[in-house]
Amino acid sequence: MLRYLQHSTAENAMDTSTKELHDYVSRVKTIPEVRQGYMSLSERFFYERQEGIKEGAKEATVENILELLEDYGEIPEELKERLNSVEDMALLKKYLKVAAKVDGIAEFQAVLSEKAEEK
């Protein structure tokens, strides 16, 4: 049963009860409304997972920037908030490279200000 639940294929329906379950599920999936809802649910899970991956990558990048800057002292809350508000991953990656090269928090903030003025 567990194998069938993990991979609901006819090959994994080994006993009578899982074969009956598979037949029922197969019939239900052919009903247009159910099929559409099933696909919508599947798509929603896919997009939610993608968003979760993006959010996790963003949070990890911000954390890496902050870890690099912590070596220079306490990081101002406004800088933390500014970094957390950035949604563009390419920009965060640039900030990460900058954080790895600067000699202090003030220099990092100056570079961020310069990049903001360039836009």
Side-chain angles (χ1 to χ4, degrees), residues 2-113:
L2 179 60
R3 186 178 302 156
Y4 177 75
L5 291 174
Q6 290 173 333
H7 307 284
S8 57
T9 63
E11 295 81 33
N12 289 325
M14 301 198 171
D15 60 23
T16 307
S17 59
T18 51
K19 286 179 183 178
E20 288 176 15
L21 176 64
H22 180 72
D23 289 341
Y24 178 76
V25 168
S26 296
R27 283 193 311 268
V28 168
K29 284 183 178 179
T30 62
I31 300 170
E33 296 83 18
V34 173
R35 186 172 182 83
Q36 182 181 10
Y38 179 78
M39 292 304 292
S40 296
L41 182 63
S42 163
E43 290 171 353
R44 187 173 77 218
F45 285 151
F46 173 78
Y47 290 116
E48 286 175 357
R49 184 168 186 270
Q50 295 303 315
E51 287 300 312
I53 290 169
K54 288 177 186 176
E55 186 63 28
K58 175 190 176 271
E59 288 174 8
T61 304
V62 170
E63 281 299 315
N64 288 333
I65 294 168
L66 295 174
E67 283 181 25
L68 288 169
L69 295 175
E70 283 175 351
D71 291 344
Y72 301 111
E74 190 169 334
I75 302 167
E77 282 302 315
E78 67 181 40
L79 179 56
K80 290 179 186 180
E81 290 171 9
R82 181 174 178 187
L83 290 171
N84 281 313
S85 70
V86 176
E87 296 297 327
D88 183 358
M89 275 303 295
L91 185 58
L92 281 174
K93 287 179 182 179
K94 288 179 185 178
Y95 290 168
L96 179 60
K97 289 178 182 179
V98 170
K101 296 176 184 177
V102 296
D103 292 323
I105 295 171
E107 184 179 344
F108 180 79
Q109 288 177 303
V111 172
L112 259 61
S113 295

